[in-house]
Amino acid sequence: MPNPEIPKLEEYSLKALDHFFQTIQACFSQEATQAHTPEAIEELRIRWVGRKQGLLKTIGESCLKTAPADAKKAIGQRFNALKEQIEQALETGSGSAPTASPADSIDITLPGTRPGTGAEHPLIRTLHEVVGIFERMGYSVGVGPEVETDYYNFESLNFPPNHPARDTQDTLVVAGQQGKPLRERLLMRTHTSPVQIRTMEQQPPPLRIVIPGKVHRNDAADATHSPIFHQVEGLCVDTNITFSDLKGTLDHAMKELFGSSVKTRFFPSFFPFTEPSADVQISCIFCGGKGCRKCKHSGWIELLGCGMVDPAVFGFVRERQPAYDPKKISGFAFGMGIDRIAMMRYGIGDIGLLYSGDVRFLEQFA
Ligand code: DAH
């Protein structure tokens, strides 16, 4: 047992008294932390509160004896408090030392607490599956900002200011931007296509990239619409890229995603940044093309937009990256909504469920 350095009381200011008793308390606590067994605790008890030679007795006597009369009350109060603390600590089993060893208090035969295993959200899982299909075809993966400028979201994709094609994407704009030139004004991106431009500005051709991400539109929420949804964008630029490459790539991707018996067909469409443009339809995965309620009895389901990159788009990119010369290179692009694909794959009837955070819904995918 270490010999505590009990200080001598030489001054009787309240501050000195507090310090004196605190030091003694600290000595006791320090010894108490060493006393782990009942024997050690008993030894500690005799040493501190033993009737004949206990440290407390000695301390009490020595400081009260020499103290001036007007300090005796303050000393007495502090001494009693200390004594009470020490006695209490000894009673509950030596101050801060544990009373029982962990082996006594933990029943190792009880079943353990199993941590809940997390699972990928059905939307994110679908996103990863689509991205994975293109990664296996040699595509890299990119990302871009969700708060975008008018230039990247529209102008550089060949949507001129006031062009009616802008109306097809109900845009949520950031407030207080009127002071800026139109192209610098901020908005929530309405599609992932702006990342096509951002990527080409950073990287000369050849380029093969997919861009998954969140997009925003001012659509009223219902069973099939949500103001936030997800897209995967694709872009491939090289010498001699043709519409056949586009068809072959997307046909393969759809077969990977929905099974090899799925057929694709390409319908003429319009997007300002592709020429020619097409909508891709797949044979109905619910009825195999015979016609059912899900495909509105047409046998086909429209799934994504695509086309050959419009030379005007390369024109915007060339200001920063001259290698995008439409006379030398060509490319295709595509964009698909992931929410609808996830809903089809998992039989989800309401898009809102994907954003509800309802554990009862999500648990089904664990
Ligand atoms: N950005 C279009 C949309 O959100 C989808 C799209 C269509 C993307 C054709 C493309 C494309 O890259 O080539 O409606």
Side-chain angles (χ1 to χ4, degrees):
M1 188 69 73
N3 210 353
E5 291 200 7
I6 305 287
K8 274 229 158 65
L9 192 53
E10 278 155 353
E11 212 204 306
Y12 296 94
S13 70
L14 292 183
K15 208 172 144 208
L17 291 179
D18 284 336
H19 178 72
F20 174 75
F21 283 99
Q22 276 160 12
T23 312
I24 297 170
Q25 164 75 37
C27 286
F28 171 78
S29 298
Q30 210 244 329
E31 285 183 26
T33 55
Q34 317 281 325
H36 300 303
T37 60
E39 292 78 7
I41 294 167
E42 176 59 8
E43 207 177 298
L44 186 72
R45 199 185 64 75
I46 295 170
R47 178 174 153 73
W48 280 84
V49 297
R51 257 196 230 168
K52 283 192 185 146
Q53 283 171 358
L55 277 173
L56 272 190
K57 187 165 182 265
T58 333
I59 292 164
E61 276 170 6
S62 72
C63 58
L64 279 172
K65 214 180 276 168
T66 48
D70 58 353
K72 284 200 170 141
K73 187 172 169 208
I75 293 175
Q77 280 170 345
R78 283 163 182 72
F79 178 81
N80 286 336
L82 172 73
K83 192 169 165 217
E84 207 174 304
Q85 270 177 2
I86 289 179
E87 278 170 350
Q88 214 169 22
L90 285 164
E91 219 167 280
T92 56
S94 95
S96 52
T99 44
S101 70
D104 297 331
S105 57
I106 297 173
D107 182 350
I108 58 164
T109 63
L110 287 173
T113 336
R114 194 185 287 267
T117 25
E120 230 170 14
H121 191 283
L123 192 56
I124 301 302
R125 191 188 295 178
T126 310
L127 200 91
H128 285 159
E129 277 176 41
V130 172
V131 166
I133 290 168
F134 288 95
E135 278 183 308
R136 289 192 287 281
M137 287 194 266
Y139 281 66
S140 50
V141 185
V143 286
E146 271 174 63
V147 180
E148 192 49 282
T149 58
D150 185 277
Y151 178 75
Y152 283 110
N153 197 77
F154 289 125
E155 197 180 332
S156 63
L157 287 161
N158 205 26
F159 291 78
N162 301 317
H163 193 279
R166 289 182 174 223
D167 298 345
T168 61
Q169 306 193 351
D170 260 339
T171 311
L172 292 160
V173 297
V174 174
Q177 302 282 301
Q178 285 77 0
K180 293 182 182 171
L182 180 64
R183 51 162 52 194
E184 286 170 29
R185 291 186 199 164
L186 298 175
L187 44 79
M188 302 309 292
R189 69 175 178 195
T190 55
H191 51 173
T192 42
S193 304
V195 195
Q196 286 189 29
I197 310 294
R198 290 185 174 276
T199 309
M200 288 190 277
E201 284 183 348
Q202 298 297 320
Q203 248 173 276
L207 191 74
R208 267 178 298 182
I209 191 161
V210 278
I211 302 127
K214 205 182 275 174
V215 301
H216 304 252
R217 288 191 199 177
N218 187 18
D219 286 334
D222 62 25
T224 54
H225 292 84
S226 157
I228 295 178
F229 57 104
H230 292 73
Q231 292 187 334
V232 170
E233 188 82 16
L235 175 67
C236 168
V237 184
D238 203 342
T239 48
N240 301 318
I241 297 290
T242 67
F243 201 89
S244 306
D245 297 316
L246 169 60
K247 285 184 80 173
T249 303
L250 289 181
D251 185 69
H252 171 75
M254 292 303 114
K255 286 184 161 65
E256 280 274 289
L257 199 54
F258 293 105
S260 55
S261 58
V262 124
K263 293 192 191 69
T264 52
R265 68 178 190 181
F266 290 69
F267 251 61
S269 183
F270 173 77
F271 300 101
F273 42 94
T274 44
E275 182 60 33
S277 304
D279 283 327
V280 183
Q281 302 178 346
I282 61 164
S283 53
C284 180
I285 56 164
F286 302 106
C287 63
K290 286 193 204 71
C292 67
R293 254 183 41 180
K294 292 263 169 70
C295 60
K296 298 200 185 92
H297 303 283
S298 71
W300 296 90
I301 293 177
E302 195 173 299
L303 222 53
L304 68 149
C306 66
M308 301 305 291
V309 180
D310 193 305
V313 170
F314 289 136
F316 283 102
V317 173
R318 282 183 78 186
E319 292 173 20
R320 296 239 174 119
Q321 197 62 262
Y324 286 91
D325 179 351
K327 292 205 185 68
K328 297 190 181 131
I329 47 109
S330 55
F332 65 73
F334 57 86
M336 64 186 98
I338 293 302
D339 305 66
R340 247 187 89 215
I341 297 178
M343 289 165 75
M344 279 168 62
R345 299 209 69 181
Y346 297 111
I348 298 166
D350 184 343
I351 192 172
L353 288 167
L354 294 173
Y355 298 97
S356 65
D358 189 330
V359 177
R360 291 166 304 175
F361 166 72
L362 294 171
E363 268 172 352
Q364 301 171 65
F365 304 93

